[in-house]
Amino acid sequence: MDLSTALERAKTEEDVKDAYIKALGLKGVFKGLVDIQTPEIWFEAKESPTPPLLMFAQLLTYVRAARKRGEPIPGFLCVIDREKAALMATEHALPLLEDKSIVWPKSGSAADKVMAAQIAPTIETHFILYQIDGYEAEFIKAARDAVREGRIIRTPITPNNLRQVFDKWVAMVGHELGVKNEADYAVLFFADIMHDGTNEAMRNLPARLLFSGDKPVFIIGSEQYELASERGYRNFWNIYHRPPEQKHRHYLLERRDSLLPMDDQKFKGAFYTPLHIVDKAYDQLNATLGADWQSKYIVWDMCAGVGNLEAKHSNLRNVYMSTLDQEDVTIMRSNPAFAGAEIFQYDYLNDDVTDFGEIDYALSGKLPQALRQAIADAREGKKGAKPILVLINPPYAEATNDNTAKGVASDGSGAKENVAKTRLAVSLKADYGKATNELFAQFVARIDLELPMAVLAMFSTLKYVISPTLEHFRTTWQAKFMAGFVVHSRAFDSVPGNFPIAFLVWDTSVNLAVADIETRVLDKDGQEEGEKKFVTSTGQKLLTKWIVRPRSNREQVVPLKNALTTATATKDLRGTRWSDDAIAYMWCNSNDLQQANKTALFSSGFNGGHGLFVTEENLWQAAIVFAVRRLIKPTWLNDRDQFLQPSAPLSDIFKSDCLVWMLFNGSNLTAGADGLHWNDRDWSLTNHFIPFTESEVGAERFESDFMVRYMADMDFSPEAQAVLDEGRTLFRTFHATRFPNKIREEFKLGRADAGWYQVRRALEAYGDIELIDFDPFKAAYAALTEKLRPMVFELGFLPE
């Protein structure tokens, strides 16, 4: 199939991309923020016809960010849609990337017509436009020639990326040399970068680079080293430009003694940030603050540990590193990588904090005088004062309940003692609320108090941005979001769970309410996967505030921990009281997606609480809440997303779809049963959630016909009706089956009004004896699920 035909048949943007990839025979393709990315050429793709200038504006935004991060950029750029393609050499756009008059957006998707107009004069005359209908062959030849040419725009080596470049050189080149002494890597590296591939740019270096034909040979003293494999050497110098500019060469040589190969094991500790993720953080700072940020900013890391966040820094005379433990101070001072930095012991959450929450450096006398002066100059806005950048990965610990907040932690909860008893937490609780129960938020609070003009670049969870529990904190702490990324928690050793850890950059001198943010997304290996929007939670928008919650009454009921299992807990037992006119209890713990699996429906109280009573009046809402909480599966990236109130009208069909989906979900644990024993007496459960009459399913009289009456006047979509039809078949099979006593006793089948849980589980158990065909039901339920799942986003229950 030719390209034109493939594009005519394309239904989505992915189809358009795949059509071009196949037609051009592209190899080494990666799809991420850049729609199609190969080492030689990058593509911006659209499904519908789009002006080339607008597509180039978006593509150049990604190119500029990659270049600022020190990443290689391709020799050619291409924009494509289902009608046309436009191709240009990247070198023609390079002047635009340094043009300060252009307002570059935070993300490529935000590039607009205004920006397109700004870049138009430069690139309009350089890109070649091909209408695929008529010029397909010419475009394919031109694009393939561009790939074959392999022109790459190399990244220069500067004081700001020296550490990162060196580490990559060791990994790609140094390890192939078989060097006996790791300390020799630094001198061999300088011999390599101070050579243009033909001639030496600097002489009298401790090591030399010669070429035997086209093969590099390194000489240091009496030792001679050749590469075991030249692949890494070629790849490295495809990325970087050599030699460095003349103005940087002597400074770079002065830093030689601080360069030793970085070993992650040297930095392992409680709050260790992996070095490949530190690399990405420095790339982000380059892109956000400019390539000269290391010389422009004074940097203070007040929870430095053993310094791995500063391992990639190249201008350490501007760096202050403090930490709680004196042992860590000793380790950092002995590391040549930190030569020039000011390193000192300091307890940031206790030292120099007065009883009134003010900062008085005379209390401890620990803060270096130069840092005190820099802080004072920055606060006063003194002319020529260097701005301050706080670069931290603060410790994460939380006092999660009253005991741990008081420092007891005797309940086995795993929460940390004395978290909320630091001098800072005690003095600032009124201003920052529950945030003072969290160590990382206490760091942010003191930074806000002490360094109100600083830029904050911090690794942390996203709790302070999106969690409802820190809404009070966000009313006090305000700053302008600049940029950032999130990375899979599995990138960090010994971090349990799957969730995003964010590296976000904030300008605290600008008092803006924390709002929704967009970040880049990295996998655990640091590779880009796309973008993600995180929505800031406010109480008014949360789904938990949407549904009517009836109050409990004095009627005692049996607390359950499963459909037919009574509670065994004695401490903090919930679910022992009922509510007027209640027909069920719905467990729906917490408002974020990571807790969505804690959603279930019971015919009595639930022993853990954290839910609501279901009545005839709120049943339609309860069904929707149940469905939207269960339809979307948590992933590492979305599990902190908050459920929101609907932002669009809800149709009657959507409501009935959700009700049917809930009735036949595995977490519908409503049941009809006798003989439940709790608190020295027997209890019965009445099931109000059977959507069929006795005659429809061949059953004896049900105690309640509530659901049949409730659904009598409803309209159902074809998908929901199919679920009802297949569900009816299973209910009919259930009531026609004579179950063995073992199954009847296990699922308490002594009454006619067995619930979906009992029907499903009993038939599954009986399937060991006689085959029960669940496949038609599963197919119908899957079709209803696929219909409802995108509507969770379309109707605003979760951010897209």
Side-chain angles (χ1 to χ4, degrees):
M1 185 190 309
D2 60 21
L3 178 58
S4 298
T5 304
L7 292 175
E8 286 177 6
R9 296 181 180 180
K11 296 180 179 179
T12 67
E13 184 177 300
E14 286 302 313
D15 293 340
V16 171
K17 295 179 193 177
D18 291 341
Y20 278 95
I21 290 170
K22 182 177 180 180
L24 297 176
L26 297 177
K27 306 295 183 183
V29 171
F30 176 76
K31 294 180 180 179
L33 282 179
V34 177
D35 287 331
I36 304 173
Q37 185 173 342
T38 78
E40 303 86 5
I41 186 168
W42 288 4
F43 295 79
E44 176 63 28
K46 299 294 181 187
E47 185 275 329
S48 57
T50 305
L53 280 172
L54 198 57
M55 290 191 280
F56 272 119
Q58 185 167 339
L59 186 54
L60 286 174
T61 301
Y62 297 130
V63 171
R64 179 176 180 270
R67 187 166 175 79
K68 280 185 170 291
R69 293 192 298 268
E71 298 172 3
I73 59 176
F76 291 89
L77 305 174
C78 190
V79 298
I80 54 177
D81 60 31
R82 62 170 58 250
E83 293 182 352
K84 61 187 175 297
L87 182 68
M88 70 175 291
T90 310
E91 61 188 334
H92 297 308
L94 292 181
L96 291 171
L97 306 185
E98 306 299 328
D99 190 340
K100 298 185 184 301
S101 67
I102 297 175
V103 180
W104 294 92
K106 292 180 180 178
S107 65
S109 58
D112 56 16
K113 292 179 180 179
V114 174
M115 182 185 168
Q118 289 182 292
I119 67 172
T122 301
I123 68 170
E124 267 184 328
T125 57
H126 292 295
F127 70 74
I128 303 172
L129 184 64
Y130 301 86
Q131 294 294 332
I132 299 302
D133 183 13
Y135 292 90
E136 176 180 331
E138 288 84 353
F139 164 70
I140 290 175
K141 181 180 186 305
R144 286 177 175 173
D145 288 346
V147 170
R148 191 178 302 111
E149 181 178 330
R151 190 190 314 170
I152 295 175
I153 308 300
R154 293 176 174 84
T155 302
I157 301 171
T158 70
N160 286 326
N161 66 9
L162 176 66
R163 176 81 253 180
Q164 292 170 275
V165 173
F166 173 71
D167 287 342
K168 290 173 182 175
W169 183 91
V170 171
M172 298 172 71
V173 180
H175 289 164
E176 299 299 324
L177 293 174
V179 174
K180 299 173 183 176
N181 181 4
E182 286 193 350
D184 289 342
Y185 279 135
V187 293
L188 293 170
F189 167 70
F190 277 99
D192 201 4
I193 70 171
M194 297 299 179
H195 199 293
D196 65 7
T198 303
N199 299 305
E200 293 174 319
M202 293 189 76
R203 298 184 180 276
N204 301 318
L205 297 176
R208 295 191 67 194
L209 172 62
L210 303 174
F211 283 86
S212 176
D214 60 351
K215 294 183 178 180
V217 179
F218 292 86
I219 299 173
I220 179 171
S222 60
E223 300 289 345
Q224 180 172 305
Y225 297 106
E226 296 184 19
L227 294 164
S229 169
E230 295 178 33
R231 177 182 299 176
Y233 190 80
R234 288 194 299 270
N235 288 344
F236 182 85
W237 289 117
N238 277 337
I239 297 172
Y240 294 104
H241 174 77
R242 60 176 178 178
E245 291 184 46
Q246 179 70 44
K247 64 180 179 180
H248 295 317
R249 293 176 191 174
H250 286 286
Y251 175 82
L252 295 176
L253 282 176
E254 290 172 4
R255 293 285 297 143
R256 184 185 65 206
D257 291 342
S258 68
L259 295 181
L260 286 174
M262 285 296 170
D263 180 358
D264 283 72
Q265 296 300 323
K266 293 179 181 178
F267 295 105
K268 290 298 173 72
F271 314 117
Y272 162 77
T273 312
L275 292 179
H276 71 287
I277 302 302
V278 176
D279 252 338
K280 297 300 180 180
Y282 273 65
D283 290 343
Q284 184 67 70
L285 291 170
N286 286 339
T288 306
L289 303 179
D292 61 344
W293 70 271
Q294 292 191 34
S295 58
K296 179 180 177 182
Y297 284 84
I298 287 174
V299 176
W300 185 10
D301 181 352
M302 59 280 292
C303 42
V306 292
N308 69 295
L309 265 190
E310 288 68 44
K312 304 292 183 176
H313 214 83
S314 299
N315 191 3
L316 285 149
R317 291 194 174 278
N318 285 341
V319 174
Y320 294 85
M321 303 160 69
S322 61
T323 188
L324 182 64
D325 298 320
Q326 183 59 46
E327 289 182 2
D328 289 342
V329 171
T330 302
I331 291 171
M332 286 191 288
R333 285 177 175 170
S334 66
N335 191 336
F338 304 133
E342 183 77 38
I343 302 169
F344 58 103
Q345 187 278 329
Y346 198 70
D347 183 349
Y348 194 67
L349 301 183
N350 289 291
D351 283 346
D352 297 334
V353 180
T354 71
D355 293 339
F356 302 101
E358 298 172 342
I359 307 299
D360 182 357
Y361 299 129
L363 291 178
S364 74
K366 294 180 180 179
L367 206 71
Q369 184 58 43
L371 180 55
R372 291 194 207 183
Q373 190 61 53
I375 293 172
D377 292 347
R379 289 179 66 97
E380 294 171 7
K382 189 174 180 180
K383 186 176 181 180
K386 284 193 172 184
I388 295 174
L389 169 68
V390 176
L391 177 61
I392 54 171
N393 181 4
Y396 185 87
E398 178 183 2
T400 55
N401 56 38
D402 288 340
N403 283 343
T404 51
K406 295 172 184 174
V408 180
S410 60
D411 58 0
S413 66
K416 303 294 189 289
E417 296 185 17
N418 298 317
V419 165
K421 294 183 69 178
T422 67
R423 291 183 64 83
L424 190 90
V426 171
S427 62
L428 294 182
K429 189 172 183 64
D431 292 330
Y432 292 92
K434 290 184 179 180
T436 55
N437 287 348
E438 315 227 19
L439 281 186
F440 87 94
Q442 291 181 39
F443 275 86
V444 175
R446 175 162 171 179
I447 292 163
D448 189 37
L449 177 69
E450 182 177 22
L451 304 166
M453 306 300 290
V455 170
L456 172 64
M458 179 173 70
F459 281 97
S460 72
T461 66
L462 284 152
K463 195 169 185 178
Y464 72 116
V465 177
I466 63 177
S467 173
T469 60
L470 295 191
E471 188 172 348
H472 183 185
F473 171 83
R474 290 191 293 273
T475 63
T476 301
W477 185 77
Q478 298 191 337
K480 178 184 177 183
F481 175 68
M482 301 179 75
F485 62 79
V486 294
V487 62
H488 197 305
S489 58
R490 291 297 175 89
F492 295 71
D493 288 350
S494 303
V495 174
N498 292 282
F499 56 91
I501 292 178
F503 178 74
L504 306 181
V505 185
W506 302 89
D507 183 351
T508 68
S509 69
V510 181
N511 292 322
L512 289 177
V514 177
D516 303 349
I517 64 171
E518 289 191 13
T519 71
R520 295 183 297 126
V521 177
L522 310 182
D523 64 17
K524 62 185 178 65
D525 298 318
Q527 299 300 312
E528 289 206 17
E529 290 189 329
E531 293 178 315
K532 165 71 174 171
K533 182 177 183 179
F534 294 94
V535 176
T536 301
S537 300
T538 62
Q540 289 70 34
K541 295 193 301 181
L542 299 179
L543 188 60
T544 50
K545 303 292 184 180
W546 180 63
I547 192 168
V548 177
R549 293 172 176 266
R551 297 173 65 87
S552 61
N553 59 24
R554 294 179 178 275
E555 180 185 353
Q556 190 175 44
V557 293
V558 55
L560 301 172
K561 65 178 181 182
N562 205 332
L564 302 167
T565 308
T566 59
T568 54
T570 57
K571 185 177 180 181
D572 193 28
L573 179 63
R574 315 282 183 90
T576 61
R577 299 293 175 184
W578 206 232
S579 181
D580 294 348
D581 302 320
I583 55 173
Y585 183 85
M586 187 167 76
W587 180 37
C588 49
N589 190 15
S590 298
N591 193 67
D592 54 8
L593 196 54
Q594 67 170 324
Q595 301 289 346
N597 64 330
K598 296 178 179 178
T599 307
L601 203 62
F602 297 89
S603 288
S604 189
F606 174 63
N607 69 175
H610 300 292
L612 57 98
F613 296 104
V614 180
T615 67
E616 182 173 1
E617 286 70 31
N618 71 5
L619 175 56
W620 71 274
Q621 288 179 299
I624 291 170
V625 170
F626 184 103
V628 300
R629 284 173 62 90
R630 281 282 182 182
L631 277 162
I632 307 302
K633 299 301 181 185
T635 67
W636 76 267
L637 188 56
N638 72 12
D639 78 336
R640 265 50 174 182
D641 286 356
Q642 299 292 321
F643 289 103
L644 306 173
Q645 295 179 20
S647 58
L650 305 179
S651 69
D652 289 341
I653 288 294
F654 175 75
K655 294 175 184 178
S656 61
D657 279 351
C658 288
L659 177 62
V660 171
W661 196 87
M662 177 181 73
L663 290 175
F664 290 93
N665 186 268
S667 291
N668 173 10
L669 304 182
T670 54
D674 295 325
L676 278 72
H677 192 76
W678 176 77
N679 201 22
D680 296 327
R681 60 172 283 195
D682 289 330
W683 300 81
S684 295
L685 301 177
T686 299
N687 182 14
H688 300 282
F689 282 74
I690 303 174
F692 310 115
T693 65
E694 294 89 342
S695 61
E696 284 183 279
V697 295
E700 297 179 5
R701 186 177 183 276
F702 299 147
E703 186 167 335
S704 169
D705 66 346
F706 169 82
M707 193 55 65
V708 170
R709 289 186 287 105
Y710 185 83
M711 297 170 63
D713 297 325
M714 286 186 175
D715 293 323
F716 297 100
S717 67
E719 294 84 357
Q721 189 62 55
V723 172
L724 287 169
D725 293 342
E726 296 300 336
R728 185 185 301 106
T729 298
L730 292 174
F731 264 83
R732 189 181 297 124
T733 302
F734 169 83
H735 285 289
T737 301
R738 296 185 63 182
F739 292 101
N741 281 338
K742 180 181 179 182
I743 294 177
R744 292 183 63 80
E745 291 172 3
E746 180 179 358
F747 298 108
K748 298 189 181 301
L749 304 183
R751 294 167 48 142
D753 59 343
W756 172 242
Y757 171 83
Q758 294 161 292
V759 169
R760 177 174 54 85
R761 294 297 301 276
L763 289 175
E764 288 171 346
Y766 191 65
D768 294 339
I769 303 169
E770 183 175 317
L771 184 63
I772 306 295
D773 188 5
F774 276 89
D775 288 346
F777 168 79
K778 290 179 179 178
Y781 194 76
L784 180 58
T785 299
E786 289 307 304
K787 177 190 177 186
L788 285 173
R789 188 168 283 145
M791 298 180 74
V792 174
F793 302 100
E794 292 167 8
L795 296 172
F797 290 104
L798 281 173
E800 294 258 8

